[in-house]
Amino acid sequence: MEQICSKDKIILRLDKGDELFSALTEKWTAIFEQDGACFGTVEGIGGCDEVEVGIFDPVAKRYVVHKREGMLELVSLNGNLTEMDGKPFFHLHAVFAYHDEDGTPQTLSGHLLKAHIGLTAEIVITRIDARVTRRFDEPLGIRTWESHEA
């Protein structure tokens, strides 16, 4: 993994074998420990070889998980980085492109649960001077934002 840091941006290049959430946890925890709770956005592209995405079922209040292995082009990664229970929390969505057994292009998308880098990934984290935490919203069954005065 390589990185370039400026005041408000962290630019990461992840390498084959890296796990996306581990890399983000390492970088966001460092910011969190240095600057205190803050808010950030994340975006990226790359190539993965094993992913899991979830689509939330509001009736069952759980994610239906979809897994895929093989060459998966990370077409779009976006989301935000907040705090929950005093620790960094990531809310990421992703779109992956791949070929099915017949060679037909397909996509897999949803709430990102796991992404193992198969080639490389190019990730940009933008730090925003705001404090946003998450709390569990029992009626919805999800974690929602709770903003705080800066």
Side-chain angles (χ1 to χ4, degrees), residues 5 15 25 27 30 45-46 49 55 70 99 106 109 117 120 125-126:
C5 296
D15 299 315
T25 298
K27 296 305 162 196
I45 56 174
D49 58 13
I55 298 172
H99 290 109
Q106 302 290 331
S109 58
I117 307 304
T120 188
I125 299 171
T126 302

Side-chain angles (χ1 to χ4, degrees), residues 41-139:
T41 60
V42 62
E43 59 186 296
I45 56 174
C48 297
D49 58 13
E50 182 182 350
V51 301
E52 291 181 15
V53 298
I55 298 172
F56 192 71
D57 178 338
V59 175
K61 294 185 180 177
R62 67 176 184 82
Y63 284 95
V64 176
V65 177
H66 301 273
K67 300 177 184 183
R68 183 90 188 165
E69 293 183 11
M71 177 56 209
L72 297 131
E73 190 76 31
L74 176 56
V75 176
S76 177
L77 170 70
N78 61 62
N80 56 67
L81 311 170
T82 58
E83 170 195 352
M84 184 163 165
D85 300 328
K87 296 180 181 173
F89 181 85
F90 308 96
H91 184 197
L92 304 176
H93 288 209
V95 178
F96 296 94
Y98 64 95
H99 290 109
D100 67 13
E101 296 78 25
D102 298 330
T104 305
Q106 302 290 331
T107 58
L108 174 66
S109 58
H111 181 92
L112 188 61
L113 303 170
K114 177 181 179 179
H116 187 264
I117 307 304
L119 294 172
T120 188
E122 300 163 352
I123 311 294
V124 178
I125 299 171
T126 302
R127 184 187 181 285
I128 298 167
D129 191 22
R131 181 164 184 240
V132 179
T133 59
R134 288 197 177 261
R135 62 177 175 75
F136 189 74
D137 185 312
E138 191 71 39

Side-chain angles (χ1 to χ4, degrees), residues 18-49:
D18 288 340
E19 202 286 315
L20 180 67
F21 281 96
S22 297
L24 288 178
T25 298
E26 177 184 329
K27 296 305 162 196
W28 196 244
T29 299
I31 292 171
F32 190 83
E33 289 174 352
Q34 178 183 335
D35 299 339
C38 54
F39 178 76
T41 60
V42 62
E43 59 186 296
I45 56 174
C48 297
D49 58 13

